[in-house]
Amino acid sequence: QLLKIYGGVHEIGRTSITVYMEARSHNVYSGKQNLILSTNIKFVRIDEQGDHVPISERVKNKYKNKTIQKNES
């Protein structure tokens, strides 16, 4: 068995990015995958003083049409 980890940007807020992650067991003989874990991880951008910093428009534009939806399997 292998453990496969998938993820991608799920949502971009004003000062945060939420990443959806899932781990699946993968049977190398049958090709069957089983969902083991799924979660959202939120990263908040802060400066040296701990104050929130807005996500740049460059980053927002880069992921504008590339956000993923949760796989409900």
Side-chain angles (χ1 to χ4, degrees):
Q1 294 254 359
L2 295 174
L3 180 65
K4 291 188 170 187
I5 299 174
Y6 301 93
V9 174
H10 176 64
E11 181 178 49
I12 298 178
R14 192 179 77 77
T15 62
S16 65
I17 296 178
T18 303
V19 178
Y20 174 73
M21 302 290 296
E22 61 182 40
R24 293 177 171 263
S25 65
H26 176 83
N27 185 308
V28 294
Y29 300 107
S30 68
K32 183 178 178 184
Q33 293 188 28
N34 292 312
L35 182 64
I36 303 298
L37 169 81
S38 64
T39 190
N40 285 311
I41 303 171
K42 184 175 277 195
F43 296 93
V44 179
R45 186 173 182 209
I46 59 172
D47 63 15
E48 296 82 11
Q49 289 75 39
D51 296 323
H52 294 217
V53 176
I55 302 296
S56 72
E57 288 302 316
R58 182 178 61 83
V59 172
K60 288 181 181 181
N61 290 334
K62 181 176 180 178
Y63 292 100
K64 187 175 188 175
N65 296 316
K66 296 181 183 178
T67 58
I68 62 169
Q69 301 301 312
K70 292 180 188 178
N71 185 354
E72 300 297 335
S73 60

